[in-house]
Amino acid sequence: MASVDLDAIRHALSLAREKGFREVELEIGETRFSAGLSAKTPPRPPAPAEPTEQEVPVASPVVGYLSKVRPSLKVGSKVEEGERLACVTALGLDTDLTAPCSGELVSIEAKEGEPLEYGQTVAVIRKRRGDA
Amino acid sequence: MFRKILVANRGEIACRVIRACREMGIRTVAVYSKADRDSLHRLMADEAVCVGEGPNGDSYLNLGNVLMAVQISGAEAVHPGYGYFSERAHFAQALQSIGAKFIGPPPSAIEAMGDKAAAKQAAKQAGCPVVPGSEEPIPDEATALRVAHKIGYPVLLKAVAGGGGRGIRRVEDPSELPGLFRMASAEAKASFGNGDLLVEKCVVAPRHVEIQILADEHGNVVHLGERECSVQNLRHQKILEEAPYAGMGERLRRRMGEAAVAVAKQVGYQNAGTVEFLVDSSGHFYFLEMNTRLQVEHPVTEAVTGVDVVQTMIRIAAGEPLPFRQKDVRIHGHAIEARVTAQDPERDFAPSTGRIQKWIQPGGLGVRVDTHAYAGFEVAPFYDPMIAKLIVWGEDRPAAVRRLRAALHDFHVEGIATNIPFLRKLAEHPQYEEGRLDTSFVARFLGEIEGAGEVA
């Protein structure tokens, strides 16, 4: 799709939705475009602007219990990539739970002593601008 | 009885165990990998714990995560299914140490049967026939000739350290022996770092027949008759299994059943297990090995005996005595299981992965489908290609074969390739219909369809 007129496609799609069409086929010069539409599909939100901020979950690396949560941690705390935030205790062994990136804690999803499955989100960090 | 059981497995067998628990009023905990987020076992269980990424070593075989899933869920017992941790003695021991019950045999019995030489020795001590052969490694050709003469030709030369069929040579008569001995020994040395060989009688055109046993924790051991599993692919994986074995008379069943029970008692066995035998064309049987777990093909036994093997395993683990005696076990009708796999018969059975677009499974009287798949389910590349077991029951073998054919006709899967077209051809084969099977049937059958173009 070298030189496609995106505006033309958008216009055709919104027109098709408005009229309740199920399928759209568009030919612009050499380029063909086709799409299936579901009657109930809400109009797509506009593509987001280039992300300058990103939210990254702090996920448990093992199944275990959340432990040794750093007491100073709270929503709004600044953390550095690789910094230990807490531990996950499994079979008597502690595994460090570290910050996957630098930024600000925007939520804390688990409490001290809480059981965690693999990959469970313990906290969410909003990446610092420019760190992307 | 347990209030909560964790199922340390995936796929159809995890669903099978969850169903048994549900009927018994026991809560269930599934473990699942990230790739199995939409797998049926995760959706069926009352609770689910993610134990790792897709590859087995990261999740279903991640001992720490599975044990911790037991702990955080508060499960009192663990059913291992088959494969994975089912025959790992250290898993059963580890569960003991965290206070959970392993639904399977004691670790000592798993270990006793895990070593092939020790298992054969135990069978011999129990008075069960074993394949005649040398018990000690054979040092030279002269000794090999002497042993072969005693047990009779043909014989097999097997590497002591061998496995997977490597280092095995078949010897028809004494003149071949010295040359083949040297070759087998050199091959064994190169492959396993140990050139020692064993000499064993070669069982000609053998049938693979196995006896299901159940043993409670109060010394009662019964068998549920046999299954025949001679239809195997070139990698010795079973494809079609049935019960009973068509060539089995009441007398042979009783003798093999008693032998299997004796082997189980010899190693202090508890819970469900299977003793495998080779049976030759004149009805001689030889102990092969014991599988210390629930087997894939257990539903054919369930179909002809009416015994729910999985529920009985759970009752045994909870300390209950067996609810029946040997004399209460009756074999009624005939059952066949076909293993449906995501493998493409047109591409040398290469694994097929992707999203299942359409899933239409057969049903009706005497038809059971055990599966974790459904339309929309994504078959991931990490796991065993089996996606369903089709089990049919009929009043006799011809009725069961007819039902198998009809059921395979009605089984349609789209989006991935399956072996269903191959199973249909197998079930239609006159030799299969007649029950003239041995473990080389599929190899000859594949030879027949080779070049025949499509396998439709």
Side-chain angles (χ1 to χ4, degrees), chain B residues 291-314:
Chain B
N291 295 314
T292 53
R293 57 171 153 81
L294 177 68
Q295 285 197 272
V296 175
E297 61 271 27
H298 74 277
V300 293
T301 297
E302 296 184 323
V304 296
T305 61
V307 174
D308 188 311
V309 174
V310 175
Q311 289 194 18
T312 310
M313 290 178 78
I314 295 168

Side-chain angles (χ1 to χ4, degrees), chain B residues 300-370:
Chain B
V300 293
T301 297
E302 296 184 323
V304 296
T305 61
V307 174
D308 188 311
V309 174
V310 175
Q311 289 194 18
T312 310
M313 290 178 78
I314 295 168
R315 292 190 188 288
I316 289 170
E320 293 184 14
L322 278 172
F324 51 83
R325 295 280 172 267
Q326 190 63 57
K327 64 177 170 51
D328 305 319
V329 177
R330 294 271 182 283
I331 310 288
H332 180 54
H334 199 96
I336 304 172
E337 175 182 281
R339 298 191 188 191
V340 177
T341 62
Q343 285 176 303
D344 190 346
E346 293 193 53
R347 291 178 50 233
D348 201 21
F349 293 92
S352 173
T353 57
R355 191 170 298 279
I356 295 172
Q357 302 293 350
K358 202 178 258 185
W359 179 271
I360 299 167
Q361 67 183 47
L365 178 67
V367 177
R368 165 178 172 182
V369 178
D370 279 17

Side-chain angles (χ1 to χ4, degrees), chain A residues 62-65 90-91 115 117-118, chain B residues 32 49-50 52-53 65 68 72:
Chain A
V62 293
V63 182
Y65 295 98
L91 304 170
E117 64 177 353
Y118 173 86
Chain B
Y32 67 98
V49 179
C50 182
E53 299 293 329
N65 280 355
M68 281 312 295
I72 68 172

Side-chain angles (χ1 to χ4, degrees), chain A residues 14 44 56 59 73 79 81-82 101 103 109 117 131:
Chain A
S14 72
R44 275 200 171 179
V56 180
L73 284 183
V79 297
E81 182 175 342
C101 62
E109 313 272 339
E117 64 177 353
D131 270 13

